[in-house]
Each structure stands twice: as C-alpha cells, then as structure tokens.
Amino acid sequence: MTERRGRVLVYRRFLKRFFDLLLAIFLFIILLLPLIIIALIVKLTSKGPILFIQERYGRNSRPFKLYKFRSMTDSAPQIANSKFTDIQNYITPVGMFIRKTSLDELPQLWNIIKGDMSFIGPRPLAITDIEVIKLRKQNGGDSVLPGISGLAQVNGRNKLTDVDKASYDGKYAANVSFHVDVLLTIETVFSVLKRDGIFKETLIDETHKIELEREQSEQESIDVSSKG
C-alpha cells in the first residue's frame, strides 16, 4: 500500500505535469494547421475577435486568462451558460458545432503549456460561478490544476447543481492518479463522439474505491502505531 501511495504522489507532483506539457506541445504542433483554419472560420463568419479570453479561477482559486475560440456573439451577456434562457440567439454560425465537438477548447493547449491548466482536472470557473468556487475552497477541489475535462464534466457538465459540481471536483482532487486520469480521458473522448458518457459509474466507483483504500491504509497505520 505504501509503495502504491508513493507512486501516486510521484504522479501528482511530477509526472502529471510532465505528461501534460509533453502532450500539449505535441498536439499544438500537429494541430497548428487546423487551429489556423478554425480561427479563420470564426473570424469570417461573425464579428468580433477570434478568441474568447476570460478570467478564470484555477489552482488555489488564483485567477488566470483562459483562451477559447469564440462561439458566441459580442452582444452575449457575461453569465454562466446554465443561466441563459435564449442562448441560441447568441451562438455564432459555427458556434454550436465547435462547442459540440469541443473544438472551441483547443486554444487551451496554450494554457496547459503555460502551466495554468492540465488536460484532466476540475474546470476553471469564472466569477459567475462564485458559489462553486467557494465550495471548492472548502472541500479542496481547487488544490489541483484545472483541466479541459474532468470528473464533473463527464457526469453531466452544465446539468449539475453547484453542490454536485463542487463535490465531483473535491472527489477528483482527493483521488488524482494516473489510472483515474486515463479513465477520464477515455470517457471524455466518448462524450465528445456520442454526446453522452459510458464510464460514469466506473469512474465514480474507481474514485470511491481509492478513498476506501486510503482510509483502510490510514487505519492500519494507526493500529500499528498503537501496538508499538
């Protein structure tokens, strides 16, 4: 158990960032042409800048600038997606497509290279989600780098309540491991392709299993110490 926890700590502190940086640079290079094409399409089909740049809150609730391809018009109000009642009126001609295919997230490769984000982690939140930000600070959900996708995203995205989002984020932060990140990556790919998840229960069970193992390990350590 101690050896396994050691491997998890090494992944959290060193390997996760190393893999993120390596993959982000690789993808940025091979996707450079598609990025340019998408940028031109965004610019030619609607008025406004190519990129949507917004202040978001990441690890330890510190603000940073997040980059996305703009999918909404300049007249769209700055509110959370879940608060819109007429969001279709503000979507650009290609906005819905790049959102459904998650192509609007590609500029966040630069955020990963800069060290603002990871591929997997709690989504970085805007000030419009202040309640979730507060809940994350309470449960430790902001103790890891935010990600392009995460446990909350593959379990409902904007359909979740603020409490549920923060709960998933806190659960992920407490159980970061290579295994969990791989499962979440697979689920994200299927979510994009099928618009739905197929590994939800597996992911929840996995994180719950890790929590139980950690509690058991701590209890064993207490028992050994008391006997000594």
Side-chain angles (χ1 to χ4, degrees), residues 32-103:
L32 185 58
L33 181 58
L35 283 166
I36 294 173
I37 293 174
I38 295 171
L40 289 174
I41 293 174
V42 170
K43 186 63 179 178
L44 294 174
T45 56
S46 63
K47 294 181 179 180
I50 293 171
L51 295 177
F52 172 71
I53 303 174
Q54 186 181 50
E55 184 174 81
R56 297 289 181 97
Y57 292 82
R59 183 159 58 184
N60 299 321
S61 298
R62 292 175 181 171
F64 70 95
K65 298 296 183 183
L66 175 136
Y67 306 102
K68 299 177 71 172
F69 281 124
R70 182 174 55 83
S71 61
M72 303 185 74
T73 63
D74 278 350
S75 61
Q78 294 291 316
I79 59 176
N81 287 342
S82 58
K83 304 297 183 183
F84 277 95
T85 57
D86 55 349
I87 194 169
Q88 292 289 348
N89 294 332
Y90 298 103
I91 297 291
T92 64
V94 297
M96 189 58 68
F97 173 75
I98 62 175
R99 279 192 171 201
K100 285 184 176 180
T101 55
S102 295
L103 293 174

Side-chain angles (χ1 to χ4, degrees), residues 12 58 60-61 122 125 130-144 151-152 161-176 211 214:
R12 290 187 183 194
N60 299 321
S61 298
L125 300 175
I130 187 62
E131 293 304 318
V132 184
I133 294 172
K134 291 178 180 178
L135 290 170
R136 279 182 179 178
K137 293 187 72 172
Q138 294 173 9
N139 68 13
D142 70 341
S143 63
V144 295
L151 187 59
T161 65
D162 289 348
V163 173
D164 287 338
K165 287 179 184 177
S167 177
Y168 278 123
D169 294 338
K171 182 178 290 186
Y172 172 78
N175 297 286
V176 177
E211 287 176 352
R214 177 175 296 174

Side-chain angles (χ1 to χ4, degrees), residues 198-210:
I198 63 172
F199 293 113
K200 294 185 179 64
E201 296 303 322
T202 302
L203 290 167
I204 294 171
D205 290 344
E206 173 65 22
T207 53
H208 181 61
K209 177 182 177 183
I210 295 172

